[in-house]
Amino acid sequence: MSWIQQIDFMILEWIQSHLQGAALDLLMPTITALGNGGWLFILLALVLLLSKRYRRQGCALAVSLLLCLLVGNLFLKPLFARLRPFEVAGLSELLISPPTDYSFPSGHTMASFACAGAVSYTHLTLPTILRV
């Protein structure tokens, strides 16, 4: 077992032994679903694209999400072909349907960083958006 998988299992074991409960069992699948397919960030990009004032930011976000799809999902995931930790550990009790793609790089993380990078690059801030 690689050292990365050992770290994965340590984190997974800690989460399962310390962060369980009815409230989290309801909350976490909902939070996870927000990032599925990048829909939250795609919606944000569309909203920004529809605004004349924030079209540049919307373009930056849309391009960064497209790059994540092409580079991350279509090239890097198959290249690394890293199984998800629950698959390697043989866990079957999940709060969500088991994802069917590889685990690295994380789609949720790629979309989040694409959004953060686009927002940072274009100097878009929440106070700026609220001043519409």
Side-chain angles (χ1 to χ4, degrees):
M1 181 183 318
S2 75
W3 63 273
I4 289 183
Q5 284 179 327
Q6 289 175 345
I7 292 171
D8 281 347
F9 291 138
M10 286 173 35
I11 293 169
L12 193 57
E13 186 178 300
W14 186 88
I15 289 170
Q16 290 183 331
S17 62
H18 290 86
L19 296 178
Q20 283 189 342
L24 286 176
D25 286 355
L26 289 173
L27 181 64
M28 295 314 293
T30 304
I31 291 172
T32 297
L34 289 174
N36 287 350
W39 292 113
L40 181 67
F41 299 112
I42 292 169
L43 179 62
L44 176 60
L46 290 174
V47 167
L48 292 172
L49 284 168
L50 292 174
S51 166
K52 201 176 223 181
R53 183 175 181 179
Y54 298 111
R55 194 159 292 141
R56 180 172 166 255
Q57 289 84 358
C59 283
L61 179 52
V63 167
S64 64
L65 289 171
L66 182 60
L67 286 172
C68 284
L69 172 69
L70 295 174
V71 174
N73 286 12
L74 300 180
F75 178 70
L76 292 176
K77 279 188 185 244
L79 177 69
F80 288 103
R82 189 163 187 274
L83 294 176
R84 294 183 177 272
F86 76 86
E87 293 173 305
V88 177
L91 301 176
S92 59
E93 190 177 324
L94 301 175
L95 297 176
I96 61 170
S97 299
T100 57
D101 60 348
Y102 293 113
S103 70
F104 181 82
S106 162
H108 287 81
T109 304
M110 281 191 298
S112 299
F113 272 87
C115 184
V119 164
S120 175
Y121 176 75
T122 58
H123 307 293
L124 182 65
T125 61
L126 188 58
T128 306
I129 294 172
L130 295 176
R131 280 186 278 177
V132 175

